[in-house]
Amino acid sequence: MRTHQLVSLQTALVILLSGLLAGCSTAPPEAEGVRVIPDELVSGEPTPVKIYISAGPEGIPVGGTARIFHYSKPWFGFARGLINEGGDNTLVSASRSDGGELITRMIQRDRIAFAGRSHFDFEIAGTPLPPGGKILVDYGSEGHLIAAGRKQREFLIEAGIDRDGDGSFQMIEAQPLRILENDPVKLRIVGPSQTAVGEPTDFVIFAEDHFGNLCENYGATLEVETSGNEGAEDYAVHPLNQEKLLDRHAITRSFSTTGIHTVSVRDPATGMRATSNPVVVTVKPAREKIFWGDLHVHTAISDGQGELRDVYRDAYARGHDFLAITDHHFGRELRGSLRERLEIIAENAKRYTVPGEFIAIPAGETHFLKRTHMNLYFDKIDANVMERLVERIKAAKTKVAKWKDASSEEFREAGDRYWEAFDTEEFKRFPLAFSHHTLWMGVKEYIHDERQRLIEIYSFHGSSEVLPFDETPPLLRGHLPQAAARPGPKYSVREVLDDGHHLGIVGGSDDHFGQAGSAALTGVVMDNLSLSSLLEALYKRHCYAVSGHRTIVDFSLNGKTMGQTLSAARELDFRADVVADGKIHALQIIGKGGLLYETHPNGAQQASLAWSRKASKGYYYLRVLLESGNAAWSSPIWVD
């Protein structure tokens, strides 16, 4: 583990200099601003942090307040308490450089607009804070250390000053804080799920620290072994180039025989080793391939960690094919007006898209419907298009007054108003929409099969597949058993499929630490990697969900594939071929009524299923359970 032996000395010098400056009448007052000591943290390393808020030449009058906004804290979890109250992320102390009186408050806010939660306010009392004065804030102490969480190149402490005491804060300039990854402890390698004999195939190599951070500074000479080939080759990994928009370590390999292949890497200096996900090698290139990505990630623009640059670079370096950053309400008001935030989203989606290699989907998570979180995915990278739809939804007045008292009809009418905002030629097919963590909160009366084509079955919250949770592996339950037991409307994926809704299945991590794929991925079957092809394949429900691994799933019913509908049949012939990123515990056919058929491959990596039954209307999907406790879920096939 890294150490910072100079932190205490550096902090002491800053305190001494601050006192000298505050008492120096000849020096001009320092400009408003925020400074953090130390200016560099290492993820997971407990370190006392001091934040200095300079009042500037105006000072702050009695009754005025300085605020540190909740999402300015780069530490794990939420703020838990004030002075000496204990718990993680505790503010230990706050004082004035002139020794005057200061009232410290934690303002707890938890509302769907995500304007803030648990801000720290510092109100000037007794006497004004003079020009050039400072508020000194301590996070952590020798007895209660705190640790930074997610690696970030530039982290900005968001702070403001309200001199009039009317609740309107003027944001002040902040010095960037750099948060570094810790030492690498895990090596990873990922590759495509399919390739052909002799076809050059790229495998992406990366290392992670104990907290799952990507180690961009990792460098080593690795031993590389390719299945089907004898011996090992050396491959040099160098730190990623910070000057490039996107960078990753990609080693190119080809296979001389068909079958299931892998590539393994080993770092002889540390002993770290990794084997890739399985790759199916065929004689000729497949017409359609599986592309992998995360459809649900948050950044510091809303309630996550990491700026857009950090998160896009992270996803690309991990070998993902696509990423949707779905910040709440397209970002917080502190980051600008809705228009400004949409322009930032569109600008970055354009900047970080590499055609044929990496797709940045313009997206956002909205909360215009009570008790439902709805993600929107646009087929055009255009702030004007996004703004027009958001303004139409705002004008639709979609929220019921009190969800606890609302009837099914009131919910349905609110949903109708929401979807009517999409009823223009411009939004005829896109954006796509889907809800998520529906066993935490969800109103099924809102579902619109033509608009809400998909549903998120799994995220870090847990699996929303079915109630009760007996069928759900313990590893995949998350906090949803507790959430499902609390009052409020909610539903499972199977419940709405039982009701006759046609919804494809996707996975999204709902990650708030900027680490795409940390909990879930979506595999999308399509013929090329572009934004239009990706959205079209999702629209057709040609996709499936996995809990973080890259298991290959091929599921069909009488020749129909995932997301399709079988119109007429007397007999149903199910076929499934699975190549797991792990060992298979069971292959299961799920339909109305639950489990219809299963087979146990006894820990094999590859397995097939063939089963027939008399035709009956309804939905059918494949669930793959791995011995690790992970799972994969195909999109359903329907029989009319």
Side-chain angles (χ1 to χ4, degrees), residues 393-539:
I393 296 173
K394 280 183 178 180
K397 298 180 180 179
T398 56
K399 289 193 175 181
V400 297
K402 293 183 178 180
W403 65 262
K404 292 182 180 180
D405 302 323
S407 65
S408 292
E409 187 59 30
E410 287 175 297
F411 280 131
R412 189 170 291 106
E413 290 174 356
D416 289 344
R417 292 194 295 272
Y418 181 86
W419 298 117
E420 283 171 5
F422 293 69
D423 286 341
T424 68
E425 189 63 29
E426 184 174 27
F427 305 116
K428 189 174 182 179
R429 283 166 62 88
F430 300 104
L432 289 179
F434 69 72
S435 55
H436 50 275
H437 55 55
T438 57
L439 279 178
W440 177 12
M441 60 180 73
V443 177
K444 63 181 181 178
E445 286 84 357
Y446 296 149
I447 296 175
H448 187 302
D449 284 356
E450 283 305 307
R451 289 297 182 183
Q452 192 176 335
R453 309 279 296 181
L454 308 162
I455 189 167
E456 185 182 278
I457 199 169
Y458 184 72
S459 70
F460 90 91
H461 295 287
S463 171
S464 291
E465 181 183 8
V466 62
L467 278 178
F469 282 88
D470 299 356
E471 286 189 47
T472 302
L475 181 68
L476 305 182
R477 294 176 186 176
H479 74 86
L480 289 185
Q482 294 76 34
R486 291 195 288 266
K490 52 185 67 74
Y491 59 87
S492 72
V493 173
R494 280 204 213 157
E495 180 182 347
V496 292
L497 291 175
D498 284 347
D499 289 343
H501 291 293
H502 285 212
L503 299 172
I505 291 177
V506 294
S509 291
D510 200 355
D511 182 89
H512 287 65
F513 290 93
Q515 297 168 355
S518 60
L521 290 170
T522 295
V524 183
V525 182
M526 53 187 174
D527 59 6
N528 72 90
L529 185 59
S530 65
L531 179 60
S532 58
S533 294
L534 178 57
L535 269 291
E536 188 64 30
L538 289 170
Y539 182 88

Side-chain angles (χ1 to χ4, degrees), residues 253-384:
R253 287 292 179 266
S254 62
F255 302 93
S256 57
T257 60
T258 60
I260 300 170
H261 289 275
T262 58
V263 174
S264 298
V265 291
R266 177 179 175 270
D267 182 342
T270 63
M272 293 188 299
R273 62 176 66 233
T275 298
S276 72
N277 53 283
V279 182
V280 174
V281 181
T282 54
V283 174
K284 296 181 179 180
R287 186 178 64 84
E288 292 187 317
K289 295 183 178 181
I290 302 168
F291 294 91
W292 295 99
D294 198 330
L295 292 172
H296 193 174
V297 172
H298 296 278
T299 75
I301 286 183
S302 62
D303 64 337
Q305 295 186 8
E307 297 298 327
L308 292 172
R309 175 197 181 275
D310 297 320
V311 180
Y312 278 128
R313 280 180 61 88
D314 188 277
Y316 181 80
R318 291 176 189 270
H320 297 311
D321 299 313
F322 59 86
L323 174 67
I325 291 177
T326 53
D327 279 314
H328 298 279
H329 279 304
F330 304 97
R332 295 172 287 126
E333 292 178 1
L334 285 178
R335 293 301 185 105
S337 66
L338 172 64
R339 174 68 190 190
E340 290 169 331
R341 301 192 311 266
L342 292 175
E343 287 176 348
I344 290 171
I345 290 169
E347 176 187 332
N348 280 273
K350 287 179 182 177
R351 177 181 296 137
Y352 291 103
T353 289
V354 182
E357 192 170 316
F358 182 75
I359 303 301
I361 308 171
E365 180 173 334
T366 66
H367 306 275
F368 295 110
L369 293 167
K370 285 276 190 179
R371 297 292 296 180
T372 287
H373 293 195
M374 190 73 71
N375 289 2
L376 299 179
Y377 300 84
F378 291 83
D379 65 328
K380 295 182 179 63
I381 304 177
D382 188 330
N384 294 316

Side-chain angles (χ1 to χ4, degrees), residues 107-268:
I107 309 300
Q108 296 211 32
R109 305 176 70 183
D110 187 359
R111 58 191 181 90
I112 213 66
F114 288 89
R117 183 185 303 185
S118 58
H119 307 312
F120 282 123
D121 280 4
F122 311 100
E123 181 183 338
I124 303 301
T127 58
L129 183 66
K134 296 180 179 62
I135 297 172
L136 289 70
V137 182
D138 284 303
Y139 282 101
S141 66
E142 294 301 326
H144 186 85
L145 294 175
I146 57 178
R150 203 247 181 229
K151 169 180 69 72
Q152 295 170 77
R153 187 183 187 189
E154 284 192 353
F155 181 90
L156 295 178
I157 296 291
E158 293 176 341
I161 296 176
D162 169 20
R163 289 189 171 83
D164 299 326
D166 61 359
S168 56
F169 287 85
Q170 182 72 35
M171 300 300 290
I172 56 180
E173 186 176 350
Q175 160 218 351
L177 170 66
R178 182 169 180 165
I179 304 173
L180 305 176
E181 71 265 21
N182 215 301
D183 295 326
V185 297
K186 187 174 185 179
L187 198 58
R188 300 283 300 274
I189 178 170
V190 298
S193 293
Q194 300 130 299
T195 189
V197 171
E199 182 177 6
T201 305
D202 285 346
F203 289 80
V204 175
I205 301 168
F206 59 96
E208 296 175 330
D209 67 13
H210 181 70
F211 306 96
N213 290 310
L214 183 83
C215 296
E216 294 196 44
N217 292 320
Y218 175 65
T221 299
L222 305 179
E223 298 171 351
V224 182
E225 294 184 357
T226 305
S227 64
N229 298 344
E230 293 184 3
E233 303 175 41
D234 287 345
Y235 176 72
V237 172
H238 303 286
L240 297 182
N241 188 341
Q242 294 293 335
E243 300 304 316
K244 296 176 66 175
L245 279 178
L246 297 170
D247 195 19
R248 62 187 179 193
H249 302 297
I251 184 169
T252 303
R253 287 292 179 266
S254 62
F255 302 93
S256 57
T257 60
T258 60
I260 300 170
H261 289 275
T262 58
V263 174
S264 298
V265 291
R266 177 179 175 270
D267 182 342

